[in-house]
Amino acid sequence: MNQHAWTIAGGGIGGLAAAVALAREGVQAQVVEQASAWAEVGAGIQLGPNVTRILRDWNLEEELRACASFPDALVVRDAVSGVRLGQLRLGRECVQRYGAPYATIHRADMHALLLRESQSMGVQTRLHHRVTAWTAAPEGGLALSIRNVGALDEGAGALQSEPIDVRTEALIGADGLWSTVRGELLPGEAAPRFSGILAYRALVAQADLPEALRSQVVTVWLGAGMHMVQYPVRGGSHLNVVALVEGPRPEDLQNWDHAANAGHLRRVLSAYGREVQALAEAIAQWRLWPLCDRPPVASADQMARGRVALLGDAAHPMRPFMAQGACMAIEDAATLAFCVATRPDGAIPDLLQHYAALRWQRCARVQQRSIRNGEIFHCTGLMRWGRDWAMRLGGEHLLDVPWLYGHEVPVRQHA
């Protein structure tokens, strides 16, 4: 039987962040990823100072600066008139307020950064495999069953290979919204729910856009039943654009990277202003992502039981209306490592329960606020008028979120 100190199911941003954080504390973890190659799909993500602070403390600030963008402002505009409703200063002001910058980065670049760091620290990986079950091992720890999922890719429709038995001290489920680990840990739980919102995503070189559409700030366009977000990535050379519109439930909810019907999106946006329409027309290729989530975490028990814990979207999938999905996963990873560092001789079930106790209420708050933000972004009638009026009066105050951005996960400094 193979043996690894800890096993992480899922090699996305959350799983690799956990591997890096644990390796810093001397815990060598195996990462089990069902994909056949390291390739992170998707477009951009935003990293608030609550997370760039963690990356700095992990000595990854230089690597982040080499591939990210650091916009000077977040600007909110009316999607019909183009009028500016409010602005939050970022850049130097963000560093002064919170001690760390606000960054925007391509998801693939963030994934590659963490993968390089994990590999340099000796983290072991197993591609094209999935953790499917576990039992308590007679000698202590867990006995995992890990299967090769190549048969699924070939259309067989079932796991055909013989399971690999792996002995591990702890299992971290970082395998995303449709987590297999969560399904085993919390049996009988309802499936993730469709939010009623479709996200059309695009990444375009700024040089390919008309000069008037190029931008180096985060811009949020608010409309009735829709909003659109754009921001620079890759040092400003590319623009990430996401248009979120209310729409029907697709048949396939688990694939979050569908080919998109750009004509449908352009018809939806035809009711909005010329700047919004011009950006949609200038982008040739869009991808479709049906937004799904779960209700906010209700207790620590939903994040850890025994020697198994959940992290990132497996634990607290959230709508993207606070731009904190990846951030919460990285905070989870740092908190898990903090629990290891401060309880080196503690029993693993107690350590994981402590991790869950530290995380569940904050994650639930971000989930709840994300749902509320979506309602505010897409509101109509008097509520929309009140939102715009409040934004004009106190946009900086409304857009800043000190309880979110000022949160510090203790990270032990290493020589």
Side-chain angles (χ1 to χ4, degrees), residues 386-409:
R387 177 202 67 195
D388 294 352
W389 177 80
M391 188 72 67
R392 289 188 180 99
L393 284 181
E396 186 97 25
H397 175 73
L398 292 174
L399 294 169
D400 198 9
V401 193
W403 65 264
L404 178 66
Y405 299 140
H407 179 80
E408 294 197 34
V409 177

Side-chain angles (χ1 to χ4, degrees), residues 295-316:
V297 184
S299 68
D301 191 54
Q302 287 187 347
M303 287 188 63
R305 296 183 181 183
R307 291 177 177 266
V308 183
L310 302 175
L311 180 149
D313 283 352
H316 41 71

Side-chain angles (χ1 to χ4, degrees), residues 225-302:
M226 67 76 67
H227 77 286
M228 189 163 74
V229 183
Q230 63 182 66
Y231 51 82
V233 296
R234 294 186 164 165
S237 67
H238 287 70
L239 192 68
N240 180 74
V241 185
V242 185
L244 300 106
V245 301
E246 295 173 5
R249 183 186 189 275
E251 289 186 14
D252 180 8
L253 291 178
Q254 295 198 36
N255 180 3
W256 71 292
D257 192 38
H258 297 267
N261 182 343
H264 171 256
L265 173 64
R266 289 167 185 150
R267 285 193 298 273
V268 171
L269 298 183
S270 65
Y272 296 96
R274 59 179 179 81
E275 292 169 283
V276 168
Q277 291 187 49
L279 187 57
E281 290 290 344
I283 296 172
Q285 294 186 334
W286 294 83
R287 306 295 295 179
L288 177 61
W289 171 24
L291 296 186
C292 298
D293 71 348
R294 292 183 181 276
V297 184
S299 68
D301 191 54
Q302 287 187 347

